[in-house]
Amino acid sequence: MKFYKLGFSKPFLKWLLSYLSGRSQFVQIDDRKSSYQLSQYGIPQGSILGRMIFNLYVSDLHEVIPPSMECVQYVDDTSLYSHSNVKELDSRAVDMNETLASITNWSQDSNLALNPAKIKCMLFSTP
């Protein structure tokens, strides 16, 4: 649905679906291989198209981020930041938490998992 909203043609969407579904995969460690397992969906790890497909898939993230927040993305890393004067820090913290809640909802709707262990918050200020 996301790729359809981006304006991709029906033939391209069919090709993309065939590329992402019904693949077999196995694990190899040294000279030992596991049996093949069917993978219903997913991007083959290390594929040339993987990063591009992912970036297109998350391109609508900006729709849930309010104008008061800045967002920088690089592949699967996203950084949010905002600035304010000291008097507005409390309200800015509330804004940031609301934005994080919106991103959590967006990620669930997008079938993407956030890693809570990698979520960090920092406050920088001047004297």
Side-chain angles (χ1 to χ4, degrees), residues 94-109:
V94 169
D95 292 346
M96 183 63 78
N97 284 325
E98 289 173 355
T99 303
L100 291 173
S102 295
I103 290 172
T104 299
N105 293 333
W106 171 88
S107 68
Q108 290 170 347
D109 293 344

Side-chain angles (χ1 to χ4, degrees), residues 2-3 6 43 50-65 71-78 103 106-107 110-114:
K2 287 186 174 209
F3 290 99
L6 289 172
I43 297 174
R51 289 181 186 96
M52 182 178 65
I53 291 170
F54 181 80
N55 284 332
L56 288 169
Y57 189 74
V58 299
S59 65
D60 62 340
L61 175 61
H62 71 276
E63 294 173 10
V64 300
I65 298 172
C71 178
V72 177
Q73 292 177 271
Y74 180 75
V75 190
D76 64 345
D77 289 327
T78 301
I103 290 172
W106 171 88
S107 68
S110 300
N111 294 311
L112 295 171
L114 295 177

